[in-house]
Amino acid sequence: MKYTIFHNPRCSKSRCALDWLTTNQHDVRVIDYIKTGITLEELRHISESLGLAPQHWIRSEEPEYKSHVKGNSLTDEELFDLMIRFPKLIQRPIVLWADRAVVARPLELLIDAITDAD
């Protein structure tokens, strides 16, 4: 099975998830979304695969959250726009496979989800 990880190499949790996937010989496609950016289509796919609206997988401790999101009532599309403009707002790491996804924070969530899928 092919896995896609939306990865931030500066994040220890993201590095840990990628290391676990590769150590366990999973076929992994790595997307460094901080460097390459992320598209609206990818964000919509992530949201659908997670089964969660973006407000449930946005990082609330980032300065961009505090200046653009906190205290505002924003639509999903407005949150997606902010995630595109400020990719640090995206919770990490996110791992997708088939029609599923998980925010692998902590790593046990990824391990449990993959184990359940097998």
Side-chain angles (χ1 to χ4, degrees):
M1 184 172 310
K2 180 85 169 184
Y3 295 85
T4 299
I5 183 170
F6 285 86
H7 176 62
N8 179 347
R10 297 192 66 194
C11 173
S12 63
K13 303 286 188 204
S14 194
R15 290 190 311 267
C16 185
L18 179 58
D19 182 56
W20 185 86
L21 287 165
T22 56
T23 298
N24 288 280
Q25 301 180 345
H26 292 287
D27 185 10
V28 183
R29 175 177 161 232
V30 178
I31 298 176
D32 181 347
Y33 65 94
I34 299 293
K35 184 187 226 180
T36 63
I38 193 162
T39 68
L40 178 58
E41 293 76 23
E42 288 171 322
L43 290 170
R44 285 180 178 154
H45 179 69
I46 290 168
S47 192
E48 183 178 307
S49 297
L50 287 170
L52 297 171
Q55 64 263 28
H56 298 290
W57 48 280
I58 195 166
R59 293 177 56 84
S60 60
E61 296 304 314
E62 296 295 329
E64 294 83 1
Y65 178 89
K66 293 172 182 169
S67 62
H68 297 288
V69 180
K70 189 175 182 178
N72 295 318
S73 179
L74 302 175
T75 66
D76 289 355
E77 295 301 309
E78 290 169 323
L79 289 173
F80 288 150
D81 180 60
L82 287 169
M83 291 172 160
I84 290 167
R85 289 177 35 217
F86 308 107
K88 283 184 179 181
L89 287 172
I90 299 168
Q91 191 56 266
R92 59 191 180 251
I94 296 174
V95 179
L96 292 100
W97 68 99
D99 62 347
R100 299 195 56 199
V102 65
V103 176
R105 186 179 199 94
L107 178 62
E108 289 74 23
L109 293 175
L110 174 63
I111 295 168
D112 290 347
I114 288 177
T115 303
D116 290 346
D118 290 340

